[in-house]
Amino acid sequence: MTGSVAIVGVGLIGRAWAMIFARAGWDVRLFDAADGVAEAAIPLCVEGLHVLAGNGLCRDPEAAGQRIRAVPSLAACLDGVGFVQENGPETLAAKQALFAELDASAPAEAILASSSSAIRCSLFTGDLPGRARCLIGHPVNPPHLIPLVEISGAPWTAPEVLARARAVYEAIGQVPITVLKEIEGFILNRLQGALLAEAFRLAAEGYVSPQDLDRTVADGLGLRWSFMGPFETIELNAPGGIADYCGRYTDFYKRLAVDPAPPSVYEAPATEAILAQWPATPDRPARMQRRDARLAALRAHKASHED
């Protein structure tokens, strides 16, 4: 499955989507409202495609790069495309304004997908004539290395549109999941939020250093959850499966649930306590490069075992 895709908004997420679609054989058009951003994104995408190729995640980076082009207007970006991936500012007003333009100008059969991280689709598509073709296609940063995409429609999103979008994301090498009912933050961010709140509390209250908490996830939970989810984990961690696990550990988890981390863990003095233990990181770009290299290697390793 290939076609033409409009990438609207060409920051970090937009560039990642451009690489994903291009390496899957799609013709990619880039548009950004800020002058020069779309043009400047092309060499960055080409560089990224070559990095992916070096890890076995892109077969022909030269050909993929040639499928990406910048266009001077939103109308030119949308002309004749079958899929639109929007990556504008994460504010309700911006989504409302941008989707009104997309719905007015994109071909009637084109799917309109937003990369929104938390804003529900129904909040910015309800008044659109083409609201049935609108949905959330929320990626995980960086999307070209972490394949999950959360598909979340509004109550009026057509089921066939959700099915088509899922087929597109699967065809371009991503791993889509469907959010069956609208909920703020979708699935991944709500799971992440539960872990993050407890992480802030444990570090701020002195139970563990921020660095050792990171090691707990990176070399513990993260390693385990990188190839199986929490339900499969508990299925395999007790001789009798999920029912046995619940019988063994429910009382413990009930005691934890009685005292959840409060919203104040994200405020001073809790955040100040963590920052006091976290060293300055002037090498942030280098740290991000190391992160991406590790993710690429892990994804390539996982893909080799799935083939």
Side-chain angles (χ1 to χ4, degrees):
M1 177 190 296
T2 59
S4 297
V5 61
I7 306 297
V8 180
V10 196
L12 287 171
I13 300 300
R15 294 198 301 271
W17 277 122
M19 289 187 281
I20 291 166
F21 276 97
R23 74 178 171 185
W26 286 59
D27 292 321
V28 179
R29 299 177 198 167
L30 308 181
F31 173 76
D32 196 286
D35 290 342
V37 169
E39 292 82 0
I42 294 177
L44 296 174
C45 289
V46 171
E47 179 183 359
L49 288 165
H50 280 277
V51 172
L52 290 173
N55 288 277
L57 300 176
C58 181
R59 293 181 179 177
D60 191 343
E62 291 292 339
Q66 291 173 6
R67 286 190 283 268
I68 303 173
R69 63 187 179 94
V71 294
S73 68
L74 182 60
C77 190
L78 299 174
D79 184 31
V81 300
F83 202 94
V84 179
Q85 189 74 41
E86 172 270 327
N87 315 283
E90 186 73 2
T91 68
L92 181 56
K95 299 295 184 194
Q96 288 172 330
L98 193 45
F99 263 72
E101 290 188 77
L102 298 179
D103 189 47
S105 301
E109 68 278 7
I111 292 173
L112 307 183
S114 173
S115 295
S116 174
S117 298
I119 303 173
R120 300 190 301 278
C121 183
S122 60
L123 297 178
F124 57 88
T125 64
D127 296 331
L128 300 179
R131 65 183 191 170
R133 58 169 171 165
C134 299
L135 54 87
I136 300 295
H138 171 231
V140 185
N141 193 26
H144 56 298
L145 297 173
I146 303 180
L148 185 77
V149 181
E150 297 180 290
I151 299 173
S152 178
W156 43 77
T157 304
E160 61 269 22
V161 169
L162 294 171
R164 283 172 53 209
R166 184 161 184 148
V168 167
Y169 289 130
E170 287 176 343
I172 63 174
Q174 300 303 94
V175 178
I177 64 117
T178 300
V179 181
L180 300 177
K181 296 189 294 183
E182 271 199 314
I183 187 169
E184 184 179 16
F186 318 123
I187 307 303
L188 184 141
N189 277 332
R190 295 184 72 90
L191 291 173
Q192 179 173 251
L195 177 62
L196 192 57
E198 188 63 21
F200 265 81
R201 172 163 66 175
L202 291 171
E205 294 182 2
Y207 293 102
V208 66
S209 71
Q211 292 80 6
D212 276 354
L213 191 139
D214 275 359
R215 294 183 185 102
T216 302
V217 176
D219 296 305
L221 282 176
L223 280 181
R224 181 161 67 186
W225 286 350
S226 70
F227 61 92
M228 60 181 180
F231 289 122
E232 187 176 7
T233 295
I234 65 174
E235 166 69 21
L236 299 178
N237 271 4
I242 292 176
D244 185 15
Y245 187 96
C246 291
R248 291 169 183 259
Y249 300 110
T250 290
D251 287 344
F252 163 67
Y253 286 116
K254 282 183 177 179
R255 292 195 299 272
L256 292 186
V258 168
D259 183 30
S264 59
V265 297
Y266 296 109
E267 303 168 357
T271 54
E272 292 173 348
I274 293 171
L275 290 172
Q277 302 176 68
W278 194 263
T281 55
D283 62 339
R284 179 177 172 85
R287 289 165 61 89
M288 292 183 71
Q289 287 181 350
R290 290 196 294 271
R291 174 205 69 177
D292 288 359
R294 186 176 184 185
L295 283 170
L298 288 171
R299 183 169 180 183
H301 176 75
K302 184 175 182 180
S304 70
H305 284 268
E306 292 174 345
D307 291 342

